[in-house]
Amino acid sequence: QRRVRGVLNYYTNYYYKSNLRAMTLYQDVKAFSDGTTAHGVKFIFHPTVHGSNKIVRIMFLMIWLTAVCYAMFVMVKAVNNYVGKPTGTKFQVIANTQKEKPSSIQFPTISVCPHNAVRRSYFSENDDLEELWNELDSWDPELTEALDFSSEKLNKYQNWTYEKVIKEGGPRASSFLQCEQFISLCEEVIPEPYYEREASLSGNCFRINPRGLLRGKGGDYGKMQLMFFADLNEYSDSTRREPQYGYTVVFHDHESYSSTIPSGFWMSPGSIYKVDLSLNQEFREPPPAGTCDPTMVNNTYGRYEENSCIAQCRDDALMEACDCVHISPPHPLNTPGKDYKACTLQQWAHCGLKAYKEWVVAYADVNKVSTGCNCPSTCEEITYKAQMSSSALSKFYAEAKAHRLPPGYSTAKDVLENLLIIDILFTSMQVSEVREIVTYGWGNFLGDVGGVLGLFLGASMFTIIEMLEFVILGAWKACCGKPKKHQVLT
């Protein structure tokens, strides 16, 4: 009580005298230094243990001003950094802390896309289609715009779509020989169809485990084995001119599609590939800490991802220019109000190819800051990392399998040129989790500012309140003048 009464008497006496006697600014500052909680200020105006030497007090003044300037510099820099990026984040790998390992782990969806988009026999069944297809595949808008679909040769194809040719003329379903999980066939493990076809720019792909129902164990005991037959006799002339042949294989989450994933593994027939998988989950922070958008969940290509957003952006550009897309997306209803219909061959030749090429050139321009596609990062992403090794099929194995080949093939050489085997397994049952965490926020900012003020000025939050109070009262005194004798500030 005595301490509180002394503080109240001090401030009452200070305010009363400062107004009653109309103290000068120097006297006000000197009086303020007597009671402020900031250390070192009073030594500028009052004697120290070294005496009342002016040189000593000037030295204290210079040190104090230097500390103030440096503290202001550090605080302004901290404020600018905080305003520019209010929070700092970093990605941290979180170990799987489950006491018990999961009983099984979900296999990815495996998209296997043949490099031969259209069969040779399909071109033979449709006169002049191969010539038209090669012209469309040349990616020369000037050449395709000159095509006359009213002519007798092309008239029957003007209402055909690129998607129709891919679906009907792609590799036969029989080229997918087998899907086996450990010792059981995939169709025996799950009741639903264990694969479906996906029309894409790469061709009519095989989408295996499309619902993510197949699960397995770690190691060889839970592996999945796929077998494909390339059917080289059906390779078209344009495909035969390519340097590679075989398949592009992509491992991804079952809610996404291979057409949105730019990367994949090229696998050639005549080999057996061993793919070691690990499941990874990545979590990002939404604003203000991070940049991901939690409202972005789905789009026309299933689960929202940056690549699927780019694919939808491409389709929107084609819709705006030609009112059609190259190949209709798998989930068009996720964007209501738009009819993503596939372009006919005539629409693609006269409009779609040019619009698509212009979009690709504009998007790939590294000198452009804005590409017109606003695709923020997804807040949650599931990926499968793969490590691959391969070995050529042995001639003894080829001789043993020669009698099981499709019609038209019967020798061990045919096996070595056409058969592809893929063994897929998980090296571990652990799931890697990468999480974006906040490393610098509002609390860190206050700590930095408070540390600078405390180290260089001995100030605290109460010192700031005192200074604000002193400035306000000083301004009131300068503005309103000297109060009457009987007025006391409360």
Side-chain angles (χ1 to χ4, degrees):
Q1 290 178 347
R2 286 196 302 270
R3 186 173 182 83
V4 172
R5 191 182 302 115
V7 172
L8 292 176
N9 290 338
Y10 162 74
Y11 277 107
T12 302
N13 184 54
Y14 165 69
Y15 291 137
Y16 178 79
K17 289 182 178 180
S18 64
N19 287 278
L20 183 64
R21 301 177 182 176
M23 297 169 63
T24 64
L25 178 61
Y26 173 81
Q27 292 171 327
D28 284 340
V29 173
K30 183 177 180 181
F32 173 77
S33 68
D34 291 339
T36 183
T37 56
H39 308 300
V41 181
K42 62 181 179 181
F43 298 131
I44 302 173
F45 302 94
H46 298 283
T48 65
V49 293
H50 303 288
S52 58
N53 193 326
K54 290 184 178 181
I55 297 178
V56 175
R57 288 200 270 173
I58 292 175
M59 181 187 67
F60 271 107
L61 176 62
M62 297 300 294
I63 294 175
W64 187 80
L65 290 176
T66 302
V68 169
C69 292
Y70 184 76
M72 292 297 296
F73 168 76
V74 173
M75 285 191 297
V76 169
K77 187 176 179 180
V79 170
N80 288 335
N81 291 337
Y82 184 78
V83 171
K85 184 173 176 56
T87 54
T89 59
K90 71 175 182 179
F91 286 96
Q92 180 173 332
V93 178
I94 309 296
N96 192 337
T97 56
Q98 295 179 349
K99 294 182 179 180
E100 297 182 0
K101 292 183 178 180
S103 59
S104 62
I105 191 167
Q106 185 184 57
F107 269 106
T109 296
I110 304 106
S111 293
V112 182
C113 301
H115 292 164
N116 185 36
V118 184
R119 301 188 312 272
R120 189 183 188 88
S121 60
Y122 188 78
F123 284 139
S124 300
E125 295 167 2
N126 298 276
D127 298 336
D128 303 317
L129 179 60
E130 185 172 11
E131 181 182 352
L132 172 61
W133 190 262
N134 291 335
E135 290 177 343
L136 293 176
D137 205 34
S138 66
W139 296 96
D140 186 354
E142 294 183 0
L143 176 63
T144 58
E145 287 176 352
L147 293 174
D148 183 10
F149 280 84
S150 61
S151 64
E152 182 179 355
K153 185 171 67 172
L154 299 181
N155 182 54
K156 58 183 176 180
Y157 299 123
Q158 63 178 345
N159 292 325
W160 284 32
T161 64
Y162 191 94
E163 186 173 343
K164 168 186 169 68
V165 177
I166 288 293
K167 287 183 176 181
E168 294 181 355
R172 297 183 178 92
S174 58
S175 63
F176 182 17
L177 299 180
Q178 180 176 293
C179 173
E180 184 178 84
Q181 187 176 10
F182 192 39
I183 57 175
S184 301
L185 297 177
C186 293
E187 56 263 38
E188 298 173 353
V189 177
I190 57 175
E192 296 187 17
Y194 64 92
Y195 82 94
E196 60 187 22
R197 303 300 290 272
E198 175 194 351
S200 68
L201 299 180
S202 303
N204 200 14
C205 305
F206 293 91
R207 183 177 164 87
I208 303 153
N209 192 26
R211 305 289 182 269
L213 299 179
L214 289 174
R215 305 181 68 88
K217 298 278 189 179
D220 290 335
Y221 297 105
K223 75 175 182 180
M224 177 192 296
Q225 186 179 81
L226 307 177
M227 298 178 65
F228 289 89
F229 192 77
D231 200 1
L232 294 186
N233 291 342
E234 284 285 9
Y235 268 45
S236 63
D237 292 338
S238 59
T239 306
R240 291 181 180 186
R241 290 192 293 268
E242 297 295 329
Q244 78 285 348
Y245 82 106
Y247 299 86
T248 298
V249 183
V250 183
F251 306 93
H252 54 90
D253 178 63
H254 69 278
E255 293 184 0
S256 58
Y257 288 79
S258 64
S259 55
T260 66
I261 301 173
S263 61
F265 296 97
W266 282 356
M267 297 188 181
S268 299
S271 303
I272 178 170
Y273 291 84
K274 181 183 178 184
V275 182
D276 299 326
L277 294 177
S278 61
L279 177 58
N280 299 270
Q281 295 178 324
E282 190 169 317
F283 300 91
R284 300 182 180 90
E285 282 288 324
T291 57
C292 75
D293 189 346
T295 63
M296 297 292 190
V297 180
N298 296 309
N299 59 14
T300 56
Y301 287 90
R303 179 195 292 272
Y304 174 83
E305 296 172 342
E306 288 186 66
N307 290 323
S308 66
C309 175
I310 295 171
Q312 182 171 334
C313 182
R314 175 202 63 205
D315 290 348
D316 290 340
L318 291 174
M319 285 290 295
E320 183 178 353
C322 307
D323 198 30
C324 63
V325 297
H326 201 177
I327 293 178
S328 56
H331 296 283
L333 297 180
N334 285 346
T335 305
K338 288 187 178 182
D339 183 15
Y340 291 96
K341 60 182 180 181
C343 292
T344 64
L345 296 182
Q346 182 177 4
Q347 286 177 313
W348 186 253
H350 293 167
C351 178
L353 180 57
K354 181 180 179 181
Y356 180 74
K357 191 172 182 179
E358 290 176 350
W359 181 87
V360 170
V361 171
Y363 182 81
D365 189 353
V366 296
N367 296 319
K368 276 192 175 183
V369 178
S370 176
T371 60
C373 291
N374 181 24
C375 295
S377 302
T378 178
C379 292
E380 181 178 348
E381 187 173 3
I382 299 175
T383 58
Y384 289 86
K385 292 186 178 180
Q387 294 181 337
M388 187 176 63
S389 59
S390 65
S391 173
L393 294 176
S394 71
K395 64 177 183 178
F396 306 106
Y397 178 85
E399 291 172 355
K401 292 291 183 181
H403 68 283
R404 300 180 58 184
L405 297 180
Y409 301 91
S410 59
T411 66
K413 180 182 178 182
D414 294 331
V415 174
L416 296 177
E417 289 181 347
N418 291 274
L419 187 62
L420 170 67
I421 301 177
I422 310 172
D423 283 350
I424 305 165
L425 54 92
F426 286 95
T427 55
S428 172
M429 298 286 286
Q430 297 289 340
V431 178
S432 298
E433 180 178 313
V434 180
R435 189 175 293 273
E436 187 178 22
I437 60 174
V438 178
T439 58
Y440 191 87
W442 174 248
N444 303 89
F445 171 73
L446 289 181
D448 288 347
V449 173
V452 171
L453 290 175
L455 177 63
F456 291 98
L457 302 178
S460 64
M461 181 181 67
F462 295 101
T463 307
I464 297 175
I465 296 175
E466 291 173 358
M467 294 186 67
L468 290 175
E469 185 182 33
F470 176 76
V471 171
I472 293 172
L473 290 175
W476 182 88
K477 178 181 176 181
C479 176
C480 302
K482 176 181 174 182
K484 297 180 180 179
K485 290 184 178 181
H486 64 276
Q487 289 180 331
V488 179
L489 295 178
T490 60

